[in-house]
Amino acid sequence: MRSDWTALPESVTTGIAERIGGAFDVTPASSGNHAEIASTVTGPAGPVFVKAAWGELSVRSLRYEMAATRAVDGHPPAVLWHFESDGWLVVGTEHLAGPHPDLSPGSADLDLLAVTLKALQGTPAPGEPWFTPAARLGFAHPAMDGETLIHSDLNPANLIVTMQGLRIVDWAWATKGAPWVELALLVQWLIGSGHSAEQAEQWLAQFPAWAVTDREVLDDFASRNASKWSAKSRQSTEGWVHDLAMWTGEWATHRGDGHRRR
């Protein structure tokens, strides 16, 4: 759960000031909840994005993010510094400025996403304690296992269009699995951006990992993912949960209709 900046002990704010180069201004992030503190911190040398974690789960998530930055070249924000003090893990990263991409049908930003995805699809997961697909998603299939490092949450809010291309933030759910799992998890966000399920699949067909995945495996994934979000939506009033239930349900219905025609 997000905390106010005033929750930080003096040793932490002093450590940040030393690394920032003096006095600084703080602008809290508008989204995300994997760390107690997530803010743009602007000092004499310019802005740095700072995350600070105290709870066990949020500290683990932040360590995952640092590990992902070491493993993935160029796409996550670079880690500039990190330290621990009074039980807090504090990480300062490159501040990425730019809009979130438009992933609607025909958008030029889809080309940027394709370039980034093709690079990520070939990124092996090093020897870190990553999430497994089953632990990340709550359901399992042998075909989901693999050796690729996947982000697993490529919603538009985690993507930033910069002058250097599309960048990816918030690696707290970094997972070691089969590369097609990343693509299957993208379907819901493409549908949420205006694609039909069929259009989303047509766009994903450009990736070899998608093309070689058995259609029965995709049927199973779509069905299980939709069931998960349907169950969550019955227990939540959060709009985004109901959106995901709708989008994953649309894909599962499309896969089911296609299976009946085969």
Side-chain angles (χ1 to χ4, degrees), residues 102-247:
D102 171 11
L103 301 185
S104 62
S107 169
D109 289 346
L110 288 171
D111 294 334
L112 296 177
L113 178 59
V115 170
T116 298
L117 279 173
K118 287 173 182 174
L120 289 179
Q121 292 276 285
T123 301
E128 301 283 350
W130 309 108
F131 282 105
T132 65
R136 168 67 178 101
L137 302 176
F139 57 90
H141 190 288
M144 292 165 61
D145 296 328
E147 300 298 320
T148 299
L149 182 64
I150 63 177
H151 181 277
S152 83
D153 189 18
L154 294 179
N155 75 78
N158 286 334
L159 305 174
I160 299 176
V161 179
T162 73
M163 295 296 291
Q164 293 75 40
L166 193 66
R167 305 289 296 277
I168 305 172
V169 301
D170 201 349
W171 289 78
W173 294 109
T175 298
K176 181 179 180 180
W180 68 266
V181 175
E182 186 87 275
L183 305 176
L185 288 169
L186 186 58
V187 172
Q188 60 207 30
W189 302 112
L190 291 174
I191 292 174
S193 297
H195 295 255
S196 67
E198 182 177 9
Q199 286 175 320
E201 291 191 349
Q202 288 173 345
W203 188 82
L204 289 168
Q206 67 185 288
F207 301 100
W210 182 270
V212 301
T213 301
D214 189 282
R215 59 192 182 189
E216 299 289 346
V217 170
L218 294 175
D219 291 347
D220 181 78
F221 185 98
S223 176
R224 289 173 182 260
N225 202 33
S227 294
K228 178 185 79 173
W229 285 107
S230 177
K232 286 179 177 290
S233 71
R234 292 193 293 271
Q235 302 170 9
S236 174
T237 59
E238 295 281 356
W240 65 271
V241 174
H242 288 264
D243 286 341
L244 282 169
M246 179 173 60
W247 301 334

Side-chain angles (χ1 to χ4, degrees), residues 74-99:
H75 297 295
V79 174
L80 304 176
W81 44 260
H82 63 91
F83 68 93
E84 296 186 45
S85 181
D86 282 340
W88 287 79
L89 171 62
V90 187
V91 180
T93 66
E94 173 188 11
H95 182 267
L96 299 178

Side-chain angles (χ1 to χ4, degrees), residues 57-72:
L57 291 178
S58 53
V59 167
R60 184 180 70 175
S61 294
L62 199 47
R63 293 196 192 282
Y64 269 40
E65 292 202 66
M66 287 195 292
T69 298
R70 290 193 296 267
V72 183

